[in-house]
Amino acid sequence: GGDFKVHAASYTENTTTKLPGEIVSAGKQGIEIACADGATVMITELQAAGKKRMKASDYLLGHPIKVD
């Protein structure tokens, strides 16, 4: 966990029953987060605290996220 700045994200056409803010998926496309009304967004670029801006997929290589 930790604090992040999101630099690039886009809405997906996916829907979910997860609560807003929960991680839906994490992989080569990025980190998919649940939003209100079952919509999701895909974070594609982020910046972890004290780190450089990077692709979300590159971040996941060193920091795997388990999706329940």
Side-chain angles (χ1 to χ4, degrees):
D3 292 332
F4 297 94
K5 288 182 182 176
V6 175
H7 287 282
S10 58
Y11 282 102
T12 72
E13 295 191 10
N14 302 335
T15 57
T16 184
T17 57
K18 292 193 175 199
L19 296 174
E22 288 188 338
I23 296 172
V24 176
S25 68
K28 290 180 181 178
Q29 293 183 322
I31 302 169
E32 186 178 8
I33 307 293
C35 297
D37 300 326
T40 70
V41 294
M42 184 71 70
I43 298 171
T44 55
E45 286 189 26
L46 56 80
Q47 183 175 357
K51 304 286 185 184
K52 290 192 275 187
R53 178 176 173 167
M54 65 180 70
K55 290 184 178 181
S57 55
D58 291 341
Y59 176 81
L60 291 170
L61 292 175
H63 306 85
I65 295 176
K66 184 179 177 187
V67 179
D68 296 328

